[in-house]
Amino acid sequence: GLAPPFNRNDTMPTKTEWVVAIVLPLHVTFLAWYMLSSSEPDNITPSYLKLWCFYFVLDATYGHLFHTLLLVPARWIARHLPGALVPSSDKENELVEQEESSNDTSLEWPSADAIAKLPSDWVVSMDTPDKEEKIAGDGDEGSNNAPKLIKKKRSKSKNDKPKSSQQCNNTLSDQKPPAATKNIAQQPYYLNHVRGSTRIRQASQRIGAAMGSILASFMIYHLSASKITLEDVGLTLPSSYILVVQDLAWGFSIGSSMVSIIFIMEVWLGWIKIVGFFQTVVPNESFAINFLWDVLFHVGVSINEEVMLRGWMFTLGCRGILAMALDWFEDSSNAATFSIIASIILQSSLFSFLHLHSPGSSYVSLLNLFLGGIAASINVMVAGGSLWLGIGWHFGWNIFMGHVLGRSTSGIPMSCACTDVIPRPKSSHKKCVENYHGGTFGPEQGVLAPLAYVIGIILVMCVCGFDEMIVWRDGLVSSHTDSP
C-alpha cells in the first residue's frame, strides 16, 4: 500500500505554540542585549550571577523554539514508521501525553518467550492498568514456567491473515492509541518501554534542548560586554580537531567501561537475566531505526546537560564564587580552592535535583547522582576546562546502560536494546534485590554505582594526568588577580 499522504494538521503545532516559541526568544534576546551590552570598566568584575541567569532563560526559550521546529518533521516521520501508533493533532492531549510518556502499558513486555527463559521464582503476575491477565498453564514446549499473557484489547485469532508491513503501519495509524501513563508502579519487571514512533519525538525534544544550550552560549558571548569567552564555559575548539575527537573517545571509552563493569557484576550476582539480543519491544519495528532515535536522544542529553551544568554552572560558577571569595581569603590560592569546592557542590546538587521526578527515583538515586556530578566536574578540570571529555563520558555511560546493555537509565524508556535483560522482580521466594540493581530507576540507584563513579574518576586521572588541571586552576586565579 502507499504511504499516507502528508497531512499538515497532523504534524504542525498549534498557532499558540508557534507564537510562544518564536516571540518569547525574541523578547528575551532583546532583554539580554539591553542588560548585558553596556560596557563595564576594566576594574569591575562582571556580574556572573546576571550572566548565569540570562543564560538559563535563553537556554530554555531557545530549546523550546528548536523543539517546536524539530517536532514537525519528527511527527511526520513517526507516522510513517513501522508499528507507528500516533494520535492525530486534533487530539492534542493524547498526543502530548504520549510524547511525554515514560512507559506505554499497552505494550506486551516481557514477551512470553522471554518469560519462558526465567527461573520459576522470577515469574510474577503482570497486573497492568490495561487489564492484562495472566493465565496459569504451560508455555512454550519444554517450559513449565512461562505464563500465557492475554491482552483483551489485542487478542488475535490463529486464523488471522498476516498483513504486509505497510498495511500494518496504516492500520495502526488509524487506531486510537491507548492512553500512555507515567505510573509505572505496577510494572513488576521495572523497565520502561515505548514505541519507536514515540522515541523519535522524545529525541527531537532533547536535540532541541542541546541546540538551545549551544545557541544560548554563543548569544551570551556576543551580546555581553564582559570578557567571558566560549572557552571560559568549556566550549573549547583547539586548532587541531583531533584533540576534540581524542577527548570524546577517551570519555566514551571510560563511561561505557564503567557501565559494562556494573552489568557484568549484576549478571554474575544473579540480579538480572539476559533473555535475548537485538530486539525491539514492538516486533514489527526496525531495530536500526529505533536505535538511531536512542543515539540522537542521548547525544542531545549529553550536550545539553554538560554545557548547562558543567559549563555554565560549574566553570562559570568557579569564576563567580572566586570573585567573592577573594574578599574572604588573604591567599588567592585558598580562595580558588573554596570556589572550586563550592561550585562542585552547587552543580552536583542541581544535577541530582533535576532527576528528582524521574521514574523510580529515591534519595539513594539522588545521592548517587550527586557523586556522579562530582565525577563530571573532575572530568572538566582534568581536561583543562574543556567539556568534550565529559560529553564523551556522559554519552558512553547513557547509551551503553540503556540501549547496548538493556538497563534502565534514570527511568528513561527504551524501544530496543542490543542486549535484552530482565531485572529480578520482587518475589516471595527470595529476598528482594530491587535495592541492589536499582529497580525502575536503574543501576544509578543501585549499590554498584558509587564504585563505578570512583573507578571512573581514577581512570580519568590516570589517562589525563594532572597537568591540565593545574594549568586550568592557575588560569582561574590569574583571571582575577591579574586584573588592574
Side-chain angles (χ1 to χ4, degrees), residues 6 41 207 297 462:
F6 174 78
I207 291 294
F297 181 94
C462 291

Side-chain angles (χ1 to χ4, degrees), residues 128-140:
T128 57
D130 57 345
K131 298 181 181 180
E132 186 180 86
E133 294 181 340
K134 172 187 170 186
I135 308 298
D138 293 338
D140 294 340

Side-chain angles (χ1 to χ4, degrees), residues 14-33:
T14 63
K15 292 181 179 179
T16 301
E17 290 174 330
W18 277 120
V19 170
V20 172
I22 296 175
V23 174
L24 187 58
L26 291 176
H27 280 76
V28 174
T29 303
F30 175 79
L31 181 62
W33 168 80

Side-chain angles (χ1 to χ4, degrees), residues 121-358:
D121 59 340
W122 283 47
V123 180
V124 295
S125 175
M126 295 291 292
D127 183 19
T128 57
D130 57 345
K131 298 181 181 180
E132 186 180 86
E133 294 181 340
K134 172 187 170 186
I135 308 298
D138 293 338
D140 294 340
E141 186 176 355
S143 171
N144 294 323
N145 300 329
K148 295 178 181 178
L149 298 178
I150 297 180
K151 284 178 172 285
K152 293 183 177 180
K153 297 182 180 179
R154 300 178 61 192
S155 59
K156 185 175 181 180
S157 171
K158 293 183 179 179
N159 297 325
D160 288 348
K161 295 182 179 180
K163 299 179 181 180
S164 67
S165 175
Q166 188 61 55
Q167 287 175 325
C168 182
N169 182 31
N170 293 344
T171 302
L172 287 171
S173 298
D174 294 335
Q175 295 176 2
K176 178 180 178 180
T181 178
K182 295 183 180 181
N183 180 14
I184 42 76
Q186 293 177 293
Q187 165 57 280
Y189 292 104
Y190 303 111
L191 301 185
N192 294 331
H193 297 88
V194 294
R195 296 176 180 271
S197 55
T198 300
R199 284 300 283 163
I200 180 179
R201 289 171 285 156
Q202 294 175 342
S204 72
Q205 191 274 334
R206 291 297 187 167
I207 291 294
M211 296 171 67
S213 296
I214 295 174
L215 180 59
S217 300
F218 276 88
M219 293 303 292
I220 292 290
Y221 167 64
H222 289 289
L223 293 177
S224 175
S226 67
K227 299 178 181 179
I228 298 300
T229 66
L230 294 176
E231 287 76 13
D232 292 333
V233 293
L235 294 175
T236 305
L237 291 176
S239 56
S240 175
Y241 288 97
I242 296 178
L243 298 177
V244 174
V245 175
Q246 180 177 326
D247 279 353
L248 289 172
W250 274 118
F252 179 87
S253 300
I254 295 173
S256 58
S257 297
M258 293 305 95
V259 173
S260 299
I261 291 174
I262 294 177
F263 180 82
I264 292 171
M265 294 185 68
E266 287 183 329
V267 173
W268 179 64
L269 292 169
W271 298 348
I272 60 176
K273 292 288 184 183
I274 300 175
V275 295
F277 298 94
F278 299 100
Q279 295 181 357
T280 59
V281 181
V282 180
N284 62 324
E285 291 186 340
S286 167
F287 177 88
I289 293 177
N290 284 11
F291 193 78
L292 173 62
W293 310 143
D294 294 325
V295 169
L296 293 176
F297 181 94
H298 288 294
V299 166
V301 169
S302 302
I303 294 175
N304 171 240
E305 293 189 356
E306 292 300 318
V307 173
M308 177 179 65
L309 294 171
R310 262 62 83 173
W312 285 87
M313 186 73 182
F314 171 66
T315 308
L316 195 69
C318 286
R319 290 176 173 269
I321 296 175
L322 177 59
M324 297 183 294
L326 288 172
D327 296 332
W328 308 335
F329 296 88
E330 295 182 0
D331 187 353
S332 60
S333 179
N334 293 336
T337 300
F338 172 82
S339 68
I340 291 172
I341 294 175
S343 189
I344 288 177
I345 293 174
L346 290 174
Q347 178 274 134
S348 300
S349 299
L350 179 58
F351 177 57
S352 178
F353 177 78
L354 290 176
H355 294 80
L356 178 63
H357 296 293
S358 296

